Amino acid sequence: MAGMIVTMGEILVDILAEDRGQGFREPGRLLGPFPGGAPATFTAQAARLGADAGIISCVGDDDFGWLCVDRLKLDGVDVSAVRVDPDQVTASAFVRYRDDGDRDFLFNLKRSAAGRISIDAAARGMLAQCAHFHIMGTSLFSFHIIDEMKKAIELAKANGAVISFDPNIRKEMLTIPEMRAGLEFMLGYTDIFMPSGPEILLPTEARSERAAIEELLGMGIRMVVHKRNRKGVSFRSRTESFDLPAFAIEEADPTGAGDCFDAAFVTCLLNGMNTERSLTYANAAGALAASKKGGMEGIEDFVTLDRFIATAATI
């Protein structure tokens, strides 16, 4: 594989409500901390699949930060551009699960070490090796981060990198005006757009998925990879159009499933696989990620993905 897969954004710990329907307004049982964050989970999955993968981020000099950094190292991630800030705490996300399966998040991002991510010398060194740069919408949580992300994208583009973008919207973040502005800016640089469900409509004026796809391709986006949860995935470009079913699994926690999907797809493309095979691996990676609690706990290698694909049923 030529070149490096690089992402940038929050490294955090996930702390999960144990019981469905449990809230945070009264004492309850919690699980974790689990190392997480959408960009961190993405890069860990890419590295587990053999990619040269790195992340630009910042953590606190605390147990949560070292838990995450040690886990990324274990998976083979290049953490040379992860700065440790002794004056900030590591970011966190408390996650609860509604009775209908939907999730609510309580984030500490802006006022954490993740809010101090910057393009320093180590980050520039990593971006100089970048063949593919991946953006997560969860990381666009402040004007500072958006400005730093713009710098990273411009450096990656100057190096000829492909840019993929997963808007990865959390409803808790839609009220942040910086995020909407950031989403619009990032689309202008995007080669591969990877929304989930209704996110495909967000950056367009369209009222249907078909119209949204045409509008997105008209913007210059080369590929639209539409993740549709239990309905599988739809792929659209100017030359290809097909759908693939999802794999049947017993879902334990969807946190991190989309991130693992993205990482598998990008890694497979850089390995020279065609889009259909790449998306089959991506579907498998997403399914296995959702089968375990904790965003990084379901990350697997190609051997495990091959075994799963050979035996698993589709929906």
Side-chain angles (χ1 to χ4, degrees):
M1 182 185 298
M4 189 176 199
I5 298 173
V6 178
T7 190
M8 171 177 164
E10 69 279 6
I11 294 173
L12 54 75
V13 290
D14 287 317
I15 298 172
L16 315 178
E18 183 173 5
D19 300 318
R20 192 175 289 260
Q22 176 182 336
F24 293 133
R25 293 192 177 186
E26 62 280 324
R29 292 177 296 182
L30 301 174
L31 300 174
F34 294 105
T41 303
F42 168 90
T43 197
Q45 176 66 86
R48 185 73 70 88
L49 292 174
D52 183 8
I55 184 169
I56 300 166
S57 191
C58 184
V59 298
D61 186 9
D62 51 36
D63 285 351
F64 287 169
W66 290 113
L67 166 72
C68 294
V69 169
D70 288 345
R71 172 57 190 269
L72 290 171
K73 286 180 179 178
L74 184 65
D75 284 322
V77 175
D78 184 336
V79 296
S80 61
V82 176
R83 186 166 58 86
V84 178
D85 189 330
D87 298 320
Q88 298 293 323
V89 297
T90 300
S92 61
F94 286 77
V95 189
R96 60 171 293 221
Y97 304 86
R98 294 183 177 271
D99 290 327
D100 62 4
D102 196 11
R103 293 168 295 164
D104 293 323
F105 293 81
L106 180 60
F107 288 107
N108 174 30
L109 286 173
K110 267 190 179 182
R111 296 175 180 84
S112 73
R116 301 295 183 93
I117 298 170
S118 61
I119 302 302
D120 56 15
R124 288 177 182 274
M126 183 172 286
L127 290 166
Q129 307 171 59
C130 179
H132 190 109
F133 187 79
H134 186 69
I135 309 163
M136 284 288 186
T138 54
S139 303
L140 308 178
F141 56 82
S142 73
F143 283 125
H144 166 73
I145 298 300
I146 292 170
D147 286 342
E148 295 302 300
M149 189 73 77
K150 289 177 181 177
K151 295 175 188 176
I153 292 169
E154 288 165 356
L155 288 167
K157 274 288 191 182
N159 196 41
V162 173
I163 308 294
S164 56
F165 180 25
D166 182 343
N168 200 17
I169 298 299
R170 306 287 191 233
K171 60 183 179 293
E172 291 82 0
M173 304 176 98
L174 282 174
T175 57
I176 304 173
E178 301 98 298
M179 173 163 277
R180 286 202 174 273
L183 287 172
E184 293 173 5
F185 177 87
M186 301 305 158
L187 275 174
Y189 288 85
T190 298
D191 298 299
I192 305 172
F193 188 53
M194 309 180 77
S196 295
E199 290 175 351
I200 196 168
L201 301 175
L202 282 176
T204 73
E205 299 297 325
R207 297 186 178 181
S208 71
E209 292 178 3
R210 182 185 295 273
I213 289 166
E214 286 303 313
E215 190 173 330
L216 290 163
L217 293 175
M219 295 177 188
I221 292 170
R222 289 164 36 198
M223 303 178 186
V224 178
V225 180
H226 187 198
K227 292 169 285 185
R228 305 177 65 180
N229 199 354
R230 294 179 62 83
K231 295 181 179 180
V233 60
S234 297
F235 179 86
R236 302 290 184 268
S237 71
R238 288 299 180 193
T239 58
E240 286 185 282
S241 177
F242 61 87
D243 303 319
L244 290 178
F247 289 105
I249 53 101
E250 184 174 342
E251 183 178 288
D253 178 15
T255 305
D259 313 323
C260 291
F261 176 104
D262 295 351
F265 180 66
V266 166
T267 301
C268 290
L269 282 184
L270 283 181
N271 273 330
M273 297 184 197
N274 63 32
T275 49
E276 186 168 348
R277 188 179 180 199
S278 298
L279 285 171
T280 300
Y281 276 118
N283 268 346
L288 287 174
S291 70
K292 294 184 179 179
K293 284 187 176 291
M296 292 188 189
E297 303 315 299
I299 289 172
E300 301 292 355
D301 57 18
F302 274 119
V303 172
T304 305
L305 294 183
D306 282 330
R307 188 183 306 120
F308 177 75
I309 291 167
T311 59
T314 55
I315 299 173

